[in-house]
DNA sequence: ACAGACCCTGATCGATTGATCAAGACGGGC
DNA sequence: GCCCGTCTTGATCAATCGATCAGGGTCTGT
């Protein structure tokens, strides 16, 4: 960890501050949206000065992009692993692994689905950046898989994109709207990942 | 229109301004969230001065509540009509009417689902107000219907609330994330209400 | 014609926003 | 010891925020 990185002169002192800022910014952006989140509130939650966050990232927009890169780095790693472990399996097994992985991601951190649905609702430069840099690949992979499943008869017919967004909507909404659901059913325990999975299975597969 | 309303002294001059303000505020709240939307931007879009909007509604919070009342007034009218027309029918027919009604509402105005998912993601006084005043009744009605359908064997087993939010998620997401989907599939036409309906049918019914 | 209620606007308030800047703290290389 | 690049802070900027206020316009009732 303290080993010198060949030619790099930077001793990599406090990358921890960057990570704390990104974590706080993720929560703020996910709950209040881009304009609703303030850099001062993010800095306070991260325990640093507000100017430090502009020193590291340059602007609020650049901070948002850094948060998204960090977010989808983790997501793509998990999804790639799920697909790798079922490489030789059937299309249905690969799709199931993808679905289980996405549910697990949403269960661990509901902010992921929150932040994705915040930006997708109006055209903007941020949405364009997000789609081109992070969303396009996953959508393409999933839709290819769905189309192959439709060909071999294991997946329900219909627009692959609609099926893709439907399963994302079910898995994500159950967790991202947890505060609302908790107010509606205060005595009920948290929603279970297994129930969501069987629901999505019934929706996707024949 | 100019007819005197019995004892009421107010001539009800410009209620049109109120409605323009509410319409503009709905769009603003639905896309930018409560904190992200500014009263000046809303006033500009409505073609009035910013102070007029505080004259009519008192505060930004009160304007938000007025927008919600207007929004759910229309929704509850449509849902009540859908249920009334299938009063004598089977549970499945009543649920189908409810689903079709909700899809039609989302197709007409995607802002409804947008605004519902914006507030449900973090605990707040606004969410508490929204749940108690507008969401609780619809949730109760739908879940009762789902439970009855589960008893007579026409509806899939599972937590009624999860089934309820799943069908809302599918119907709403397809329209509220339309800008994102359009960027992903630029050549494709808009998503069809019929495709969504058959998808939800497969999810809900046995 | 006058008075009063309602509707609406422009100016302005203090607070907060994202961004900039000067200055200090810290540590490694000479 | 001294210097220099990195990291961090506090002060401060113009712009914008929600909210308040005084005042004018318009109509109705008398």
């Amino acid at each position: 960890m303290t080993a010198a990185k060949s030619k790099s002169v930077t001793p990599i002192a406090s990358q921890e501050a960057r990570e704390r800022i990104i974590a706080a910014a993720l929560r703020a952006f996910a709950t209040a949206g881009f304009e609703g989140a303030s850099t001062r509130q993010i800095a306070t939650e991260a325990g640093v000065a507000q100017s430090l966050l502009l020193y590291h990232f340059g602007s609020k927009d650049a901070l948002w992009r850094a948060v998204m890169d960090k977010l989808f780095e983790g997501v793509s790693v998990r999804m790639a692993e799920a697909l790798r472990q079922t490489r030789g399996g059937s299309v249905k097994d690969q799709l199931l692994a993808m679905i289980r992985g996405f549910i697990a991601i949403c269960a661990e951190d509901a902010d992921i689905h929150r932040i994705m649905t915040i930006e997708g609702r109006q055209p903007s430069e941020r949405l364009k950046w997000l789609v081109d840099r992070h969303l396009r690949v996953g959508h393409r992979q999933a839709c290819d898989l769905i189309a192959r499943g439709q060909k071999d008869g294991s997946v329900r017919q219909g627009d692959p994109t609609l099926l893709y967004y439907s399963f994302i909507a079910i898995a994500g909404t159950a967790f991202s709207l947890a505060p609302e659901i908790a107010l509606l059913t205060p005595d009920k325990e948290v929603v279970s990942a297994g129930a969501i999975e069987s629901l999505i299975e019934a929706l996707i597969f024949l």
Side-chain angles (χ1 to χ4, degrees), chain A:
Chain A
M1 206 171 282
T2 56
K5 268 234 272 166
S6 67
K7 189 162 170 289
S8 172
V9 281
T10 58
I12 311 182
S14 185
Q15 183 150 351
E16 179 201 334
R18 284 181 65 107
E19 291 175 2
R20 278 210 318 274
I21 292 173
I22 286 186
L26 169 61
R27 285 191 296 271
F29 287 141
T31 53
F34 179 81
E35 281 120 10
S38 87
T39 56
R40 273 180 181 79
Q41 160 196 346
I42 294 171
T44 299
E45 200 172 344
V48 298
Q50 180 245 2
S51 48
L52 181 64
L53 147 175
L54 287 144
Y55 165 80
H56 276 302
F57 300 97
S59 72
K60 190 184 178 184
D61 268 277
L63 169 61
W64 181 86
R65 289 194 294 270
V67 168
M68 292 300 153
D69 282 345
K70 179 82 174 178
L71 193 65
F72 282 91
E73 174 192 325
V75 171
S76 66
V77 163
R78 303 256 326 224
M79 299 304 278
E81 186 177 358
L83 286 182
R84 188 180 49 79
Q85 289 181 346
T86 56
R87 178 68 56 90
S90 65
V91 173
K92 179 170 181 173
D93 284 343
Q94 293 182 54
L95 262 177
L96 262 178
M98 180 179 278
I99 290 168
R100 287 204 189 100
F102 188 78
I103 293 175
I105 288 172
C106 290
E108 283 173 24
D109 188 358
D111 286 338
I112 292 181
H113 184 256
R114 291 196 182 107
I115 220 166
M116 281 168 56
T117 50
I118 270 192
E119 295 298 333
R121 63 187 66 198
Q122 81 243 40
S124 68
E125 280 303 310
R126 282 195 307 278
L127 178 60
K128 196 172 171 305
W129 181 91
L130 193 60
V131 165
D132 286 336
R133 187 176 177 93
H134 292 297
L135 301 183
R136 183 101 55 195
V137 176
H139 169 259
R140 185 55 162 276
Q141 282 183 351
C143 285
D144 284 351
L145 218 46
I146 289 173
R148 283 173 53 201
Q150 288 173 330
K151 255 181 197 158
D152 72 18
S154 61
V155 171
R156 183 182 309 283
Q157 292 299 316
D159 179 11
T161 295
L162 180 58
L163 278 170
Y164 173 63
Y165 270 92
S166 295
F167 109 68
I168 286 181
I170 294 179
T173 303
F175 296 106
S176 69
L177 293 191
E180 177 181 321
I181 297 176
L183 281 179
L184 273 175
T185 61
D187 50 339
K188 205 90 63 73
E189 70 283 4
V190 204
V191 64
S192 91
I196 296 174
E197 185 182 321
S198 63
L199 216 57
I200 295 179
E201 280 185 50
L203 175 75
I204 300 287
F205 301 110
L206 286 174

